[in-house]
């Protein structure tokens, strides 16, 4: 098992990683970047490119790198750890982020249909998960955070363990009948 922070903005990095790792049965693509939230309607082309270089392009590159061996073996799992922002819009200057996450989900659904029944490709759509990349401690002290928590039916942040159990379900044999599915993990926020 490998859990690394490689610079996947480099076009050849995914191929290099898979060459180094070798045999891959399960790819869990948990791609993220620290966000800066611009003022409403001020997201630029550069902001979109930044998001796509960190969210969408690495998913494509990693998938492209592992699929040949999975298809040769006629088995494998790809799990995209995505965001519920692509399932339900929200205000606050995250349209570019939501678009990049939506691109991940669209890509995943189509790849899933192309490689079924041999490779299961599925995703989570999470939010309200306790992680410092998206919920820094300073942000948790703000009125904006309190307003966002008021929109959350669960009224709390999920633990990383709770989220990991959903990802592990998609990575394990229990999900062998799942293809192109997105499981919301958002405390009821996407309902």
């Amino acid at each position: 098992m490998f859990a690394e922070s490689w610079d996947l903005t480099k076009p050849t990095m995914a191929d290099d990683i898979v060459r180094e790792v070798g045999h891959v049965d399960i790819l869990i693509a948990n791609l993220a970047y620290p966000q800066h939230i611009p003022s409403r309607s001020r997201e630029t082309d550069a902001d979109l490119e930044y998001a796509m270089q960190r969210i969408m392009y690495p998913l494509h590159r990693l998938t492209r790198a592992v699929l040949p061996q999975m298809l040769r073996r006629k088995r494998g799992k790809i799990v995209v750890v995505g965001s519920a922002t692509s399932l339900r819009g929200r205000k606050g200057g995250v349209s570019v982020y939501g678009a990049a996450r939506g691109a991940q989900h669209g890509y995943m659904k189509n790849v899933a249909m192309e490689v079924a029944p041999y490779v299961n490709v599925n995703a989570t759509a999470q939010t309200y998960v306790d992680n410092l990349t998206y919920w820094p401690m300073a942000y948790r002290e703000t009125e904006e955070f309190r307003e966002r928590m008021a929109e959350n039916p669960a009224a709390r942040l999920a633990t990383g363990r709770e989220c990991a159990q959903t990802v592990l379900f998609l990575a394990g044999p229990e999900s062998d009948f799942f293809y192109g599915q997105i499981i919301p993990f958002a405390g009821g926020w996407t309902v």
Side-chain angles (χ1 to χ4, degrees):
M1 174 157 72
F2 290 82
E4 297 287 339
S5 296
W6 288 295
D7 182 1
L8 291 167
T9 62
K10 296 177 183 173
T12 62
M13 183 58 73
D15 291 322
D16 295 343
I17 292 166
V18 172
R19 258 192 307 282
E20 178 185 332
V21 171
H23 184 100
V24 177
D25 289 315
I26 301 165
L27 169 65
I28 298 174
N30 185 11
L31 304 162
Y33 66 92
Q35 291 184 26
H36 82 282
I37 308 245
S39 302
R40 290 178 200 159
S41 303
R42 297 202 195 279
E43 293 176 304
T44 66
D45 288 355
D47 292 327
L48 179 60
E49 181 63 24
Y50 185 86
M52 295 298 278
Q53 283 288 349
R54 284 150 183 81
I55 298 293
M56 181 55 225
Y57 296 161
L59 175 61
H60 170 66
R61 292 170 183 148
L62 287 165
T63 300
R64 183 186 62 209
V66 299
L67 272 180
Q69 63 174 277
M70 289 179 173
L71 289 171
R72 268 193 310 278
R73 290 190 307 270
K74 295 187 176 183
R75 64 183 271 255
K77 300 272 185 160
I78 298 174
V79 181
V80 178
V81 180
S83 171
T85 303
S86 71
L87 303 180
R88 175 185 164 179
R90 74 170 184 85
K91 60 185 178 181
V94 294
S95 58
V96 160
Y97 172 77
R101 290 300 191 175
Q104 275 189 321
H105 285 152
Y107 176 81
M108 176 278 307
K109 285 176 166 265
N110 286 281
V111 169
M113 296 302 100
E114 292 171 12
V115 300
Y118 304 116
V119 179
N120 301 84
V121 185
N122 295 291
T124 63
Q126 63 191 47
T127 192
Y128 295 111
V129 177
D130 188 2
N131 95 42
L132 295 175
T133 299
Y134 292 108
W135 305 96
M137 295 310 284
Y139 179 71
R140 296 178 195 200
E141 302 298 322
T142 67
E143 182 60 30
E144 181 181 342
F145 176 76
R146 286 186 282 285
E147 289 171 9
R148 291 199 50 206
M149 287 304 292
E151 296 175 355
N152 173 1
R156 68 176 177 87
L157 295 177
T159 66
R161 179 172 166 53
E162 289 172 307
C163 185
Q165 289 171 326
T166 303
V167 173
L168 289 173
F169 165 77
L170 290 175
E174 299 82 6
S175 67
D176 284 351
F177 202 63
F178 283 56
Y179 297 91
Q181 298 299 301
I182 301 170
I183 298 178
F185 187 84
W189 183 72
T190 59
V191 175

